[in-house]
Amino acid sequence: MSFPADFLWGAATAAYQVEGAWNEDGKAPSIWDEFVRIPGKTFEGTTGDIAADHYHRYKEDVQLMAEMGLKSYRFSISWPRVLPEGDGAVNEQGIEFYSNLINELLTNDIIPFVTLYHWDLPQALQDEFGGWESRQCIDAFETFARLCFERFGDRVHHWITFNEPIIFQTFGYATEAHPPAKRDPFLLYQVSHYVNLAHARAVLAYREMGNKGEIGLTHVSQPCYAYTNSDEDKEATWWAESFGFHWYYDPILKGEYPAEYRKAIEAQYGKLDITDDDLSLLKSARSDFIGINYYQPARIAANNQQAERTADRESNTSAAGTPSFCGRYRTVLDTDQFEYTRWSWEICPDALHDAMKRIHARYGDIPIYITENGLGDEDLVVNDEILDEPRIDYIRRHLLACQQAIEEGIKLKGYYAWSWIDLLSWLNGYKKQYGFVYVDRDNKLKRIKKQSYFWYQDIIATNGESL
Ligand code: BGP
């Protein structure tokens, strides 16, 4: 049997995308609650105000998980729900919601895997000191993290500090597609360092508080491949890989920044505020595991036209075929050679296998969780049945890649499909579906099990044998 007996067969969501109840029971607005209200920023102006209404229906949702046999559920805690001002008074009603959810999961033998930051920064902190642009945010995050460890650490033993720093930072500070919608590459790099420090402080706090579980961080994993063998495409790929992989993974897993790349970006944008004490802090806080979110690889070419990435929603939501924010490279869309989803995301299970090998080669025997992987599609509905065969095919092929990695000795400990249920896609509204469970938005958000629900149920029951 290639999947270990304790392999975590899971599925994931994130607070803003699933909960709704955006202004209930003492919750304050996050930067997303404000951003979605700016005209033109999201698909047809969709918001997470109601989302899948998981906040009110979590019991029903957990029952569906239990019936499926789900081993673990990854979800995030909304920071402004538990600390409305970011670091001030605790909102006990918010704490109660997560406490109840955790208890409900445990009663049903489902292991909670909790993300602290899935992009919904309290608006109060953005207003007060520019959010992640300030070192003050590091202290605020530590306060939030400690609160969560204190209240939930007795029952939650798997923690992710941040979800996909590269996305909220690039979109937030270089392409204007996410809040705070700025275009300032220097800030992007500075923010990335402050977030790394916040991660490190949370890791140390977790250990110092005597918790027994594991703590890590989730990065995007998008292996880059030169589109052609030309020197200029290879050089472009060095830039893409240095930014997308080494700049983000090295500080978390090696406690340092890639030197050559740092030199190059500081020459271009200016000297970053990174002190020796900061670097010692990073070194002292190696993660217990790395979470990877994998959707697609990137085919990289030189950006000969010197085109700039634009701020429009479309070019930020289908990643292939756009120039990078820094203008040094672009991604290539080639429908003759590669297979794509409806949103032009390349389907390539081999690159998932390759991603794990690259991590293993650079950082050694670090345990890995695939914390997101899945197919965004518009599902076929026939007589109230959701026939999402393409999703089954997508997940099956990616799970085979996982199986191969495990057989080769990679310490892969779990797989979380994105997503558990149909939820808000940040920039594509409810049109782009990922879930095992359909949410009928025309019929009081009724839950309907998709074909993939039953398929995954069987995969879990056989521990992957029926793949
Ligand atoms: C990841 C995020 C998720 C989810 C997923 C799908 O980047 O961590 O929150 O949204 O991507 O993205 P999208 O909804 O844009 O298709």
Side-chain angles (χ1 to χ4, degrees):
M1 288 245 292
S2 35
F3 289 96
D6 58 354
F7 190 75
L8 293 184
W9 297 98
T13 65
Y16 186 67
Q17 296 174 278
V18 76
E19 285 177 4
W22 75 286
N23 58 358
E24 287 181 43
D25 296 343
K27 178 183 167 294
S30 75
I31 53 175
W32 271 92
D33 289 310
E34 305 260 320
F35 181 72
V36 294
R37 290 179 164 69
I38 305 171
K41 284 297 185 190
T42 61
F43 176 73
E44 294 175 348
T46 35
T47 72
D49 289 3
I50 298 173
D53 200 27
H54 179 67
Y55 185 79
H56 296 114
R57 301 177 191 221
Y58 73 91
K59 283 197 177 170
E60 178 189 349
D61 289 341
V62 173
Q63 276 322 302
L64 283 167
M65 294 176 201
E67 196 186 320
M68 186 204 239
L70 202 71
K71 299 271 187 232
S72 178
Y73 174 50
R74 174 184 175 222
F75 62 95
S76 78
I77 293 180
S78 159
W79 185 349
R81 197 181 285 292
V82 296
L83 284 172
E85 295 308 312
D87 54 3
V90 175
N91 176 29
E92 291 299 337
Q93 284 175 290
I95 296 282
E96 197 187 325
F97 166 68
Y98 294 109
S99 196
N100 290 342
L101 171 61
I102 291 163
N103 291 343
E104 195 70 17
L105 289 167
L106 293 173
T107 309
N108 286 283
D109 290 327
I110 300 166
I111 295 173
F113 211 119
V114 176
T115 311
L116 290 173
Y117 189 82
H118 205 122
W119 309 350
D120 44 358
L121 183 77
Q123 181 66 42
L125 299 184
Q126 191 66 44
D127 295 340
E128 199 184 326
F129 46 68
W132 292 113
E133 293 153 46
S134 163
R135 280 186 182 257
Q136 280 175 265
C137 210
I138 302 170
D139 296 332
F141 183 75
E142 186 179 337
T143 303
F144 166 53
R146 281 182 181 271
L147 172 70
C148 294
F149 301 152
E150 199 179 287
R151 301 298 188 93
F152 313 125
D154 56 336
R155 289 157 289 159
V156 174
H157 305 300
H158 307 271
W159 295 91
I160 293 166
T161 53
F162 287 89
N163 179 69
E164 297 190 352
I166 192 173
I167 297 295
F168 74 83
Q169 292 162 12
T170 311
F171 284 19
Y173 290 95
T175 70
E176 304 171 61
H178 281 190
K182 298 192 178 176
R183 188 172 280 260
D184 182 341
F186 175 82
L187 261 186
L188 151 66
Y189 288 104
Q190 191 59 65
V191 161
S192 73
H193 176 58
Y194 292 161
V195 167
N196 291 337
L197 296 179
H199 160 79
R201 289 259 294 270
V203 169
L204 295 186
Y206 185 70
R207 291 175 186 156
E208 173 222 294
M209 288 167 76
N211 290 291
K212 296 281 174 283
E214 54 177 5
I215 183 162
L217 177 144
T218 277
H219 272 319
V220 169
S221 169
Q222 185 177 35
C224 296
Y225 301 98
Y227 183 54
T228 71
N229 266 331
S230 71
D231 286 346
E232 52 172 6
D233 283 1
K234 284 194 209 147
E235 196 197 323
T237 306
W238 181 85
W239 284 100
E241 187 83 349
S242 298
F243 175 61
F245 184 22
H246 307 155
W247 180 259
Y248 280 95
Y249 283 70
D250 283 9
I252 303 305
L253 296 178
K254 295 213 286 188
E256 62 191 40
Y257 288 98
E260 209 184 324
Y261 183 73
R262 179 176 167 193
K263 213 168 123 199
I265 54 150
E266 287 194 324
Q268 187 174 1
Y269 300 118
K271 195 151 172 43
L272 294 164
D273 169 27
I274 301 178
T275 68
D276 290 344
D277 284 350
D278 292 349
L279 294 172
S280 323
L281 174 65
L282 293 180
K283 274 244 184 285
S284 66
R286 182 172 150 107
S287 290
D288 295 320
F289 65 86
I290 188 78
I292 63 174
N293 290 353
Y294 172 81
Y295 290 90
Q296 58 171 338
R299 309 286 164 184
I300 303 292
N303 184 17
N304 295 327
Q305 303 93 17
Q306 288 304 311
E308 277 215 4
R309 176 88 159 253
T310 51
D312 67 288
R313 199 187 54 81
E314 278 306 321
S315 72
N316 282 293
T317 178
S318 46
T322 51
S324 70
F325 72 90
C326 66
R328 290 188 190 274
Y329 53 91
R330 64 188 169 89
T331 54
V332 179
L333 181 89
D334 180 347
T335 49
D336 292 336
Q337 257 198 84
F338 308 115
E339 186 187 347
Y340 292 92
T341 72
R342 268 180 225 255
W343 270 266
S344 308
W345 290 24
E346 189 185 330
I347 302 177
C348 183
D350 283 349
L352 170 59
H353 173 242
D354 194 26
M356 288 187 263
K357 282 201 336 209
R358 288 182 185 197
I359 291 169
H360 190 80
R362 194 168 172 95
Y363 307 109
D365 211 11
I366 179 93
I368 299 176
Y369 289 96
I370 292 170
T371 43
E372 285 181 29
N373 173 242
L375 176 70
D377 206 0
E378 278 181 79
D379 296 335
L380 178 67
V381 185
V382 181
N383 302 329
D384 273 357
E385 272 199 87
I386 322 300
L387 306 176
D388 60 340
E389 190 72 48
R391 178 162 302 108
I392 295 175
D393 184 57
Y394 181 100
I395 297 181
R396 191 181 60 81
R397 287 161 64 193
H398 286 80
L399 282 174
L400 288 172
C402 294
Q403 188 170 34
Q404 190 185 350
I406 293 170
E407 281 162 9
E408 289 166 7
I410 287 180
K411 256 196 217 147
L412 178 63
K413 297 174 66 176
Y415 172 93
Y416 293 75
W418 182 267
S419 51
W420 159 248
I421 192 168
D422 283 350
L423 38 66
L424 177 76
S425 166
W426 301 97
L427 302 177
N428 306 286
Y430 297 95
K431 201 173 158 195
K432 191 179 189 187
Q433 301 157 270
Y434 280 94
F436 291 124
V437 177
Y438 179 84
V439 174
D440 190 346
R441 305 201 74 81
D442 298 324
N443 184 15
K444 302 182 195 139
L445 305 178
K446 185 179 161 204
R447 275 63 171 144
I448 304 172
K449 296 167 196 160
K450 299 185 190 179
Q451 207 178 0
S452 59
Y453 176 101
F454 299 103
W455 174 81
Y456 200 49
Q457 184 175 47
D458 184 54
I459 297 296
I460 299 172
T462 62
N463 201 37
E465 284 286 283
S466 59
L467 267 177

